[in-house]
Amino acid sequence: MFTRAAQSGRWIAFAASLAFFTLLSLPAQAAWQLEPERSTVEATVVEITPSGPVPHQHRVRALAGNISEDGTLRLPLRLNQTDVLDRLGSMPIWLKGVTETPLATLVTKLPPARLNALAVGESFTDTLLFTVDAEGVDREEPLALRFTRESESRIRVATAERVAVDGRELMANPTLRTVLLLLGYEQIGEEVPMSLDATLIDR
């Protein structure tokens, strides 16, 4: 026979265990999202000309996306997020309809537990697998990113190593090829170096 005190202690332990496993079974709450004003991708397109290669700097700005409960981040990239429209000025009428259409959508999974556990002033580097959907063509690319917690509600994300995409693949994309030709780039280099500088905020 258990004493009343022993029975009470067992009930307390049982209740505590039940509460613990209930918390574990709850879905993680999405707490992080990209801050568009502080999130950009920069790319160097090397134009091949008769007089030699000429590098051009381009930027994709206002990156936006929320981290879902399971840590998934979907990042659509649209033409009107680039500086292409600024350089072209007046757009051809037939091309204006695609400025809001995603040229590509990047999908990856972030480690939300590691983000939440990161102390202010500390960093960690992780290699994430990005799925790239560009006009129905899917491929996967690993990308090493450095996460640095700048404050309780802000984490900076930047590329941790050199990244370059295949220039031939860019020219093979019909929409991107049209844009590059409008910019006057009839031929570009085999590599297009890119860098990410973004900020996650706790909403």
Side-chain angles (χ1 to χ4, degrees), residues 7-202:
Q7 289 178 332
S8 177
R10 287 175 178 271
W11 276 110
I12 291 173
F14 175 77
S17 299
L18 182 61
F20 176 73
F21 285 109
T22 300
L23 287 174
L24 287 182
S25 67
L26 292 175
Q29 296 299 310
W32 298 97
Q33 64 181 8
L34 284 169
E35 185 177 18
E37 296 79 8
R38 296 172 179 261
S39 301
T40 61
V41 170
E42 292 192 352
T44 302
V45 178
V46 179
E47 178 189 8
I48 306 300
T49 71
S51 57
V54 180
H56 300 273
Q57 298 293 326
H58 289 281
R59 174 177 292 187
V60 181
R61 54 184 178 260
L63 302 180
N66 299 326
I67 301 177
S68 68
E69 293 180 351
D70 66 352
T72 300
L73 172 66
R74 296 183 63 85
L75 186 60
L77 303 179
R78 299 178 173 85
L79 185 59
N80 60 6
Q81 292 176 265
T82 71
D83 56 6
V84 169
L85 301 183
D86 301 333
R87 301 192 183 202
L88 288 178
S90 179
M91 291 284 293
I93 295 177
W94 58 270
L95 193 57
K96 288 183 178 179
V98 303
T99 58
E100 290 283 350
T101 302
L103 298 175
T105 299
L106 308 183
V107 183
T108 190
K109 281 200 172 184
L110 294 169
R114 295 187 70 186
L115 295 180
N116 294 332
L118 192 62
V120 175
E122 291 186 347
S123 302
F124 72 84
T125 299
D126 198 359
T127 299
L128 304 182
L129 187 63
F130 279 81
T131 299
V132 184
D133 180 359
E135 296 195 352
V137 179
D138 291 339
R139 67 179 186 277
E140 293 184 339
E141 297 286 347
L143 182 61
L145 298 176
R146 180 177 294 106
F147 299 82
T148 303
R149 190 153 199 163
E150 298 182 332
S151 69
E152 288 295 333
S153 60
R154 192 181 301 276
I155 294 178
R156 185 175 181 182
V157 186
T159 43
E161 58 188 35
R162 185 180 183 275
V163 178
V165 299
D166 193 327
R168 292 166 297 185
E169 289 189 5
L170 296 182
M171 292 298 282
N173 182 298
T175 303
L176 289 176
R177 179 177 176 83
T178 298
V179 172
L180 291 170
L181 290 174
L182 287 172
L183 289 169
Y185 307 157
E186 295 185 5
Q187 185 179 357
I188 65 173
E190 292 185 359
E191 287 191 339
V192 179
M194 304 183 72
S195 62
L196 168 71
D197 188 359
T199 298
L200 290 169
I201 55 174
D202 185 353

